Amino acid sequence: MTQLASDAMALSRDEKKWLKWFGANGKFKLGWSCFLNRKSYKDIEMTFEGVANTRVRLLKQFTNNVWERLEQTTQTLSTIDKKYLSGTLATVSQSLPEASEISLIQSNGTIFYSSQSSRTGLVHEQTKAIKRALEKPFLHGPYRDPVTLALGATTSKFHDQMTMMFYQPVTFDGESMLLAARIPNDVFSDLIQREAGHIFNESGDNYLFMVESSFDPEIKPGIALSRSRFEDDTFFLGENLKQGVNTPFGTVKIKEHTELEVMFTDPSTGQLHPGVRETIKNGSNLYVKYPGYSDYRHIPVIGKGVTFTLKGSDDRWGMMCEGDVEEVYRPRSVQYTMMRMYWLCMVLTLGVQFGLNAFTDLPVYASLGLSALVAFLLSLLFSAKGPAKLSRQLGGMAKVIRGLAEGEGNLTQRMDVSRLPPNEAGYLGRWINSFVDNLDQIVGEVIVSAKEVSSLTQQMEGSNKEASQAAEAVQDAASDSLSVVQSQTGYVEKANGSVSVMKTTMEKAVQGAHSQYVLVRQSTETIRDVVQTSADSVNLLSQQAEDVGRFVNEITDITSQTNLLALNAAIEAARAGEYGRGFSVVADEVRALANRTAAAAADIGNVVEGIKSETDRAVLLMEQGIKDVNESLLKNEAASNDSDTLSNAASDMFRIIEQISDTTQKNGDHAHQVAASALQMGSSIRLVKANADQVQAKANALSRLVGLFKVSAA
């Protein structure tokens, strides 16, 4: 026997024997139905596997599409000017019709810009989410937000305040911000609840629940995260969660919405019902066998449970794809129903033949004729209730498929599941509905994308025209700049040659001036030395004159003493009388000689004083000359320094001129490159324009093709 994944589910003894005996969900009826369809267990498992995988794929695909659009926009926002912000985010809003708001939020929570203009400048109150989102992209939700309720529905017919918020970090105008997309949670519910895609249209339910909440630990495992279809009056028992689902253990009811209000428990135990429990425990679960397990309505269900994580979310979610056991195993195979009717007709025919033979005296040929007539009538009944009915059902399916195949493209067509029989034909019809529903969704997205491509292509064409004009202007400007630079290059080259000659001449002049300065300095220093020597000699003469004056003074003193002695000698001679007359004569001569000597000494003193005065004057003049010579030397040295400074300045000037020449040459090279780039850019833009024209043609062709389809979302 084929191994089933259902055999691995851990159900307790009580969970296997909890059904009552009678009723639609009783052991007798469900047991018989499951027994008749026991060979379908593997197919049913594959059905639920496919439903679960498809729904998870839809969720992840939608989420990834939103992230991709936001990531593309962040790249644009990092390069554009503020004046283009409104148009850029308006484009995002158009490409995300599921979003009720596209906003740019500052790190302090202030809404810098919102597609809902009335909200610009307000404060986004999810402080914790903003702090988390500034680290890396963050998907927050579902959570309650009255703003979402006030903004209204987008693509879902259901609407409440439950919100999914996408936060993408972005740098705009040099500031760290968050690009946020507000999407009502009902959009996520619609992705997994598309009614036309339900194989088990009466009871099939796909719902999300929390497995592990990292961002908000208050949300416990098993809490509902999506709207249940039982909220919209489609439950086949005629009850829904808003009105209240009655169970033997109480009423399961919500106040506002399914999300966060319902815990998926078995009402008989108050614990997580087995499907959710085993899915959380093992990461996935699958069970399709009798007797099923109790869900939160205390009704036997079977189905597939999976866990997954959406991009950007810190939490782990779970999804159950379930159907009531009664509906899943209600169908009977064509073989079973046909053979049952066939044997019924055979028994009736044999019964009529037996009755005619046993209770009538009709001739054999009459009895055979009546039996043949009854067999014919029963064959007509068999045909009408069996093959003809099946043929009509298959004909209806063929009509829908023919409508699609012949190009009418009406993807809103669905088979009336209420008229489909509970057999393989009914399953085929349901699968066709599911296929058409998926195709409807895909083509609907293609139509929207085709419209966006057409719009973007038109915008691209306009941009290409502007770029082409700009490229031509750049090319003209580059050509003009190249001409100017080329003429400037010629002037600079001529100036450079003149400057080279000037530099050589100035260097020679500076060298000559320096040589002259050295000679002048040497001569000046020689003169200063000679004057200094003369001054020293004159000073020595002055000193010697002072010595002569001192000698003259001594002579004068000696003369005075001699004159005094002569006077004394004359007095003594006069007193000696006759004997002293000769000595008196000598004394007179000595005194006369002393007087002459004193006069001569006085004259010598006068002469020495004159010499000394002149020598002092000469010394002063020489000292002034030395001072003047020193000042001249300092001035010559300063002049030499000025010459050096001038030489350095000239060298700097020549170096700058050389740099100007080099820079001009480089500018010329750059101008050539700019001109070449402008030519290349012009060629590239013409190529882009040609490609854009081709894209426009393809977009028009795509629009014509998708225009042949009629979808429910359009």
Side-chain angles (χ1 to χ4, degrees), residues 552-570:
V552 169
N553 289 333
E554 291 179 355
I555 292 172
T556 302
D557 291 340
I558 294 172
T559 302
S560 297
Q561 292 178 1
T562 301
N563 193 17
L564 181 60
L565 291 173
L567 180 60
N568 290 334

Side-chain angles (χ1 to χ4, degrees), residues 196-488:
H198 276 291
I199 299 301
F200 310 111
N201 62 294
E202 294 179 0
S203 64
D205 189 24
N206 307 320
Y207 55 89
L208 301 173
F209 59 91
M210 180 61 72
V211 173
E212 182 180 1
S213 179
S214 298
F215 183 73
D216 186 0
E218 293 184 0
I219 303 178
K220 303 302 180 183
I223 288 289
L225 298 181
S226 69
R227 184 193 73 248
S228 172
R229 68 177 298 212
F230 299 132
E231 188 179 337
D232 59 3
D233 287 326
T234 58
F235 187 36
F236 82 104
L237 296 179
E239 296 179 330
N240 60 58
L241 287 172
K242 278 196 171 180
Q243 297 173 352
V245 176
N246 296 306
T247 74
F249 306 94
T251 301
V252 182
K253 189 175 182 180
I254 62 171
K255 296 180 180 179
E256 298 179 11
H257 42 72
T258 307
E259 302 96 321
L260 306 184
E261 289 191 28
V262 171
M263 172 77 79
F264 293 115
T265 60
D266 183 347
S268 65
T269 63
Q271 303 299 316
L272 291 176
H273 77 63
V276 172
R277 179 193 70 206
E278 295 300 307
T279 299
I280 294 176
K281 178 181 177 182
N282 301 317
S284 65
N285 185 69
L286 178 61
Y287 191 75
V288 300
K289 296 174 65 177
Y290 174 85
Y293 54 83
S294 172
D295 72 347
Y296 62 99
R297 302 165 297 154
H298 201 66
I299 292 175
V301 297
I302 55 176
K304 171 71 176 180
V306 293
T307 60
F308 59 94
T309 300
L310 296 178
K311 182 179 179 181
S313 176
D314 293 342
D315 305 328
R316 188 163 187 81
W317 291 9
M319 181 173 66
M320 297 300 300
C321 300
E322 295 176 332
D324 290 357
V325 178
E326 188 278 331
E327 182 186 8
V328 174
Y329 292 109
R330 185 189 308 165
R332 302 293 186 261
S333 69
V334 173
Q335 180 185 5
Y336 173 81
T337 56
M338 290 291 187
M339 291 306 297
R340 186 177 63 178
M341 185 174 295
Y342 172 76
W343 284 111
L344 177 61
C345 291
M346 290 293 294
V347 169
L348 289 176
T349 300
L350 292 176
V352 169
Q353 181 66 42
F354 177 79
L356 290 174
N357 291 334
F359 301 105
T360 67
D361 296 328
L362 292 175
V364 175
Y365 66 87
S367 176
L368 290 176
L370 289 175
S371 297
L373 178 62
V374 170
F376 176 74
L377 294 176
L378 289 176
S379 67
L380 293 178
L381 176 64
F382 173 78
S383 176
K385 295 297 184 181
K389 184 177 181 181
L390 180 60
S391 178
R392 288 194 301 273
Q393 294 165 351
L394 295 177
M397 299 177 195
K399 182 179 179 181
V400 174
I401 296 175
R402 185 177 67 249
L404 297 174
E406 290 179 350
E408 294 181 6
N410 185 3
L411 297 180
T412 61
Q413 298 181 92
R414 299 292 188 275
M415 296 184 187
D416 187 357
V417 294
S418 64
R419 301 179 61 182
L420 293 177
N423 55 25
E424 289 86 349
Y427 269 130
L428 180 60
R430 291 180 175 86
W431 281 116
I432 290 176
N433 277 354
S434 180
F435 168 75
V436 175
D437 184 68
N438 288 331
L439 186 61
D440 180 23
Q441 182 181 9
I442 293 172
V443 173
E445 293 176 357
V446 171
I447 290 175
V448 173
S449 299
K451 292 178 179 178
E452 292 179 0
V453 168
S454 179
S455 175
L456 292 175
T457 304
Q458 292 176 357
Q459 295 178 9
M460 185 188 301
E461 184 178 359
S463 300
N464 284 338
K465 289 181 180 178
E466 295 178 359
S468 179
Q469 294 173 357
E472 291 177 357
V474 169
Q475 186 174 346
D476 294 340
S479 299
D480 295 340
S481 298
L482 182 59
S483 300
V484 173
V485 169
Q486 287 175 343
S487 62
Q488 288 179 347

Side-chain angles (χ1 to χ4, degrees), residues 6 20 30 40 117 136 142 156 182 190 253 274 280 282 339 344 383 395 423 432 439 459 497 500 505 550 560 571 681:
S6 301
K20 58 186 180 180
L30 287 186
S40 301
S117 58
K136 58 182 180 179
S156 175
R182 178 189 298 273
D190 285 348
K253 189 175 182 180
I280 294 176
N282 301 317
M339 291 306 297
L344 177 61
S383 176
N423 55 25
I432 290 176
L439 186 61
Q459 295 178 9
S500 298
T505 303
R550 189 170 57 254
S560 297
I571 293 173
M681 183 172 66

Side-chain angles (χ1 to χ4, degrees), residues 75-124:
Q75 296 175 3
T76 303
L77 291 179
S78 62
T79 59
I80 65 170
D81 191 77
K82 285 184 178 180
K83 61 183 180 181
Y84 299 113
L85 175 62
S86 177
T88 301
L89 295 189
T91 302
V92 179
S93 296
Q94 293 175 1
S95 63
L96 290 177
E98 299 86 359
S100 59
E101 179 187 20
I102 301 296
S103 58
L104 198 59
I105 304 174
Q106 295 175 306
S107 57
N108 61 2
T110 302
I111 300 176
F112 184 80
Y113 174 87
S114 173
S115 57
Q116 301 289 338
S117 58
S118 61
R119 287 184 43 76
T120 300
L122 300 181
V123 176
H124 186 67

Side-chain angles (χ1 to χ4, degrees), residues 49-61:
E49 286 275 11
V51 171
N53 292 336
T54 299
R55 297 309 191 247
V56 171
R57 177 180 56 81
L58 290 174
L59 284 174
K60 290 187 174 182
Q61 179 179 319

Side-chain angles (χ1 to χ4, degrees), residues 34-81:
C34 291
F35 175 78
L36 291 177
N37 291 281
R38 64 190 182 280
K39 294 183 180 180
S40 301
Y41 281 164
K42 191 63 179 178
D43 292 336
I44 298 298
E45 282 192 344
M46 294 177 63
T47 296
F48 280 108
E49 286 275 11
V51 171
N53 292 336
T54 299
R55 297 309 191 247
V56 171
R57 177 180 56 81
L58 290 174
L59 284 174
K60 290 187 174 182
Q61 179 179 319
F62 174 77
T63 304
N64 293 337
N65 287 341
V66 176
W67 283 125
E68 181 179 353
R69 190 68 186 90
L70 295 181
E71 289 168 1
Q72 292 173 350
T73 306
T74 57
Q75 296 175 3
T76 303
L77 291 179
S78 62
T79 59
I80 65 170
D81 191 77

